[in-house]
């Protein structure tokens, strides 16, 4: 199976290397060994499963991960996150080998904005600057003026003159939240995150009655009705930092459940209750993020595939608005 052709076939068919692993090996120790041997770094998003977070060299939100990817001196970046995140790492640091344990780890927000349709939308709004949430494909980034993440969106929007017409894409919930915060009237693309739009206000309200002292903390990708009852709204890093500084002892957390691992580690005496979805499924787990497993990560690092490969013209076009975001973020010390 380590034969290069069958490995490539396995990736084409499954999106990942489907190779049996000896069940007796210590994956944590093997991953540490491989990282040293290959001068590799593991960058993980907070929504990854706890085992992956525990082997990561850096865990962060989308902005922090992009900043780390840009400055790393490692030869290999293993990106434990979804495709647009690994692609952003490659855009920013093209001389590195960027690996993604499962190439099928996509994103509903990114999928909601196909470049050809977005181009038509953009053409219908002449004179508008395009601010795009980082959760999008390189094709969409190439059609944008500035990229933003949930932790810098407000500052990025405010960096443009108040009378500048703006298109905000692809997340309508984050866009509506920023419109409310800034008093702007940005034109919104109609996309949403399948995880964050599933939270049930009714169930959160019931939880709040049962835990009256618990604070509701929410990611701005949530719908307005949920954001309206939140005591604090922020990116994943923002939410985590809030729980470290705040004096409450319990929180109802309206974002993907992966973040609870770091919240619990940082605050051993506090209680974290995942906000429930509006049905009985585990829909507050992102099915894309959770495609990555420790086993796939180990194989990806060992065989150095699947790898993110990009067209150079597209990479350069997509890099411009990301550079703009990083420049503005640095000005604000973000
Ligand atoms: P942040 O990493 O900016 O908090 O965004 C969360 C998210 O949904 C990433 O896919
Ligand atoms: Fe995309 Fe939502 Fe999953 Fe983040 S949590 S990767 S926005 S689908």
């Amino acid at each position: 199976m380590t034969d290069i052709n069958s490995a490539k076939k396995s990736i084409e068919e499954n999106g990942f290397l489907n190779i049996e692993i000896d069940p007796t090996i210590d994956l944590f120790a093997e991953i540490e060994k491989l990282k040293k041997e290959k001068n590799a770094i593991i960058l993980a998003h907070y929504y990854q499963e706890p085992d992956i977070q525990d082997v990561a060299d850096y865990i962060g939100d989308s902005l922090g991960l992009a900043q780390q990817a840009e400055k790393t001196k490692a030869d290999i970046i293993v990106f434990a996150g979804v495709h647009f995140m690994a692609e952003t790492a490659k855009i920013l640091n093209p001389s590195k080998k960027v690996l993604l344990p499962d190439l099928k780890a996509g994103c509903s927000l990114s999928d909601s904005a196909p470049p050809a349709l977005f181009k038509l939308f953009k053409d219908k709004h002449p004179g508008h600057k395009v601010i795009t949430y980082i959760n999008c494909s390189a094709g969409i980034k190439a059609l944008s003026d500035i990229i933003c993440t949930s932790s810098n969106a407000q500052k990025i929007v405010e960096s443009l003159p108040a009378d500048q017409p703006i298109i905000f894409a692809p997340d309508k919930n984050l866009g509506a939240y920023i419109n409310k915060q800034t008093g702007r009237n940005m034109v919104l693309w109609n996309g949403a995150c399948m995880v964050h739009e599933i939270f049930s206000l009714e169930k959160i309200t019931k939880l709040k009655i049962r835990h009256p002292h618990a604070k509701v903390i929410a990611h701005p990708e949530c719908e307005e009705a949920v954001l309206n009852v939140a005591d604090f709204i922020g990116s994943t890093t923002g939410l985590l930092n809030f729980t470290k500084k705040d004096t409450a002892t319990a929180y109802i957390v309206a974002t993907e459940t992966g973040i609870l691992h770091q919240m619990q580690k940082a605050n051993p005496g506090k209680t974290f209750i995942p906000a429930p979805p509006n049905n009985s499924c585990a829909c507050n787990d992102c099915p894309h993020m959770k495609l990555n497993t420790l086993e796939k990560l180990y194989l990806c690092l060992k065989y150095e595939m699947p790898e993110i490969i990009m067209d150079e013209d597209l990479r350069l076009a997509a890099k411009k608005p990301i550079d703009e975001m990083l420049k503005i973020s640095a000005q604000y010390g973000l």
Side-chain angles (χ1 to χ4, degrees), residues 16-17 34 38 76-79 97-102 293-307:
F16 62 93
L17 283 170
L34 286 168
K38 294 173 183 262
I76 296 178
I77 300 172
V78 183
F79 213 111
K97 187 177 256 190
V98 179
L99 307 171
L100 180 64
D102 191 324
T293 61
L294 195 66
E295 287 77 10
K296 287 181 190 172
L297 189 148
Y298 161 72
L299 290 170
C300 163
L301 179 56
K302 181 167 178 184
Y303 296 104
E304 300 183 19
M305 58 178 94
E307 184 184 354

Side-chain angles (χ1 to χ4, degrees), residues 45-47 60-63 65 82 84-85 107 109 133-135 149-151 193 196 219-221 234-238 255-256 286 289:
H45 191 270
Y46 288 120
Y47 296 165
D61 68 359
S62 305
L63 178 62
L65 288 163
V82 291
F84 76 81
M85 295 179 171
C107 167
L109 256 177
Y133 193 34
I134 199 164
N135 299 39
T149 74
S150 57
S151 54
C193 160
H196 288 90
H219 195 281
E221 286 174 21
S235 76
T236 42
T237 299
T255 191
E256 214 268 2
C286 173
M289 286 278 182

Side-chain angles (χ1 to χ4, degrees), residues 62-135:
S62 305
L63 178 62
L65 288 163
Q67 288 165 332
Q68 292 294 321
E70 188 193 33
K71 70 178 186 202
T72 185
K73 298 273 182 289
D75 294 315
I76 296 178
I77 300 172
V78 183
F79 213 111
V82 291
H83 192 277
F84 76 81
M85 295 179 171
E87 191 174 61
T88 301
K90 187 69 185 174
I91 291 168
L92 287 169
N93 210 336
S95 65
K96 310 298 177 190
K97 187 177 256 190
V98 179
L99 307 171
L100 180 64
D102 191 324
L103 276 186
K104 289 194 177 160
C107 167
S108 65
L109 256 177
S110 180
D111 291 347
S112 78
L117 280 185
F118 188 69
K119 171 87 173 61
L120 289 176
F121 183 77
K122 189 181 158 181
D123 290 346
K124 280 195 187 147
H125 298 91
H128 286 59
K129 290 271 185 207
V130 178
I131 298 184
T132 309
Y133 193 34
I134 199 164
N135 299 39

Side-chain angles (χ1 to χ4, degrees), residues 26-259:
D26 177 346
L27 285 180
F28 294 95
E30 286 302 314
I31 289 171
E32 283 309 321
K33 206 170 92 195
L34 286 168
K35 275 201 299 194
K36 284 198 188 83
E37 272 170 30
K38 294 173 183 262
N39 188 28
I41 187 173
I42 299 177
L43 303 181
H45 191 270
Y46 288 120
Y47 296 165
Q48 292 295 286
E49 61 175 43
D51 281 353
I52 293 184
Q53 293 188 33
D54 290 345
V55 295
D57 298 285
Y58 176 84
I59 315 163
D61 68 359
S62 305
L63 178 62
L65 288 163
Q67 288 165 332
Q68 292 294 321
E70 188 193 33
K71 70 178 186 202
T72 185
K73 298 273 182 289
D75 294 315
I76 296 178
I77 300 172
V78 183
F79 213 111
V82 291
H83 192 277
F84 76 81
M85 295 179 171
E87 191 174 61
T88 301
K90 187 69 185 174
I91 291 168
L92 287 169
N93 210 336
S95 65
K96 310 298 177 190
K97 187 177 256 190
V98 179
L99 307 171
L100 180 64
D102 191 324
L103 276 186
K104 289 194 177 160
C107 167
S108 65
L109 256 177
S110 180
D111 291 347
S112 78
L117 280 185
F118 188 69
K119 171 87 173 61
L120 289 176
F121 183 77
K122 189 181 158 181
D123 290 346
K124 280 195 187 147
H125 298 91
H128 286 59
K129 290 271 185 207
V130 178
I131 298 184
T132 309
Y133 193 34
I134 199 164
N135 299 39
C136 65
S137 64
I140 293 291
K141 289 186 174 82
L143 292 166
S144 307
D145 294 295
I146 319 177
I147 300 303
C148 71
T149 74
S150 57
S151 54
N152 61 19
Q154 188 169 336
K155 290 272 189 278
I156 300 280
V157 169
E158 286 171 344
S159 74
L160 294 182
D163 58 352
Q164 170 63 56
I166 298 171
I167 291 174
F168 188 91
D171 189 1
K172 63 176 178 191
N173 292 323
L174 176 63
Y177 171 67
I178 301 296
N179 268 343
K180 206 167 154 186
Q181 294 299 105
T182 60
R184 307 253 175 157
N185 187 23
M186 299 186 294
V187 177
L188 308 180
W189 177 264
N190 188 21
C193 160
M194 62 191 288
V195 178
H196 288 90
E197 68 174 357
I198 204 95
F199 293 116
S200 158
L201 178 62
E202 197 190 327
K203 289 186 184 171
I204 291 175
T205 309
K206 282 187 184 147
L207 266 181
K208 187 79 185 150
I209 293 167
R210 260 193 281 143
H211 304 272
H213 302 299
K215 283 189 179 168
V216 176
I217 57 175
H219 195 281
E221 286 174 21
C222 294
E223 288 181 336
E224 189 181 7
V226 170
L227 296 181
N228 283 342
V229 298
D231 296 284
F232 181 78
I233 298 166
S235 76
T236 42
T237 299
L239 297 177
L240 175 62
N241 289 342
F242 177 75
T243 65
K244 291 180 192 167
K245 287 191 225 126
D246 187 57
T247 52
T249 53
Y251 301 88
I252 296 165
V253 184
T255 191
E256 214 268 2
T257 56
I259 187 70

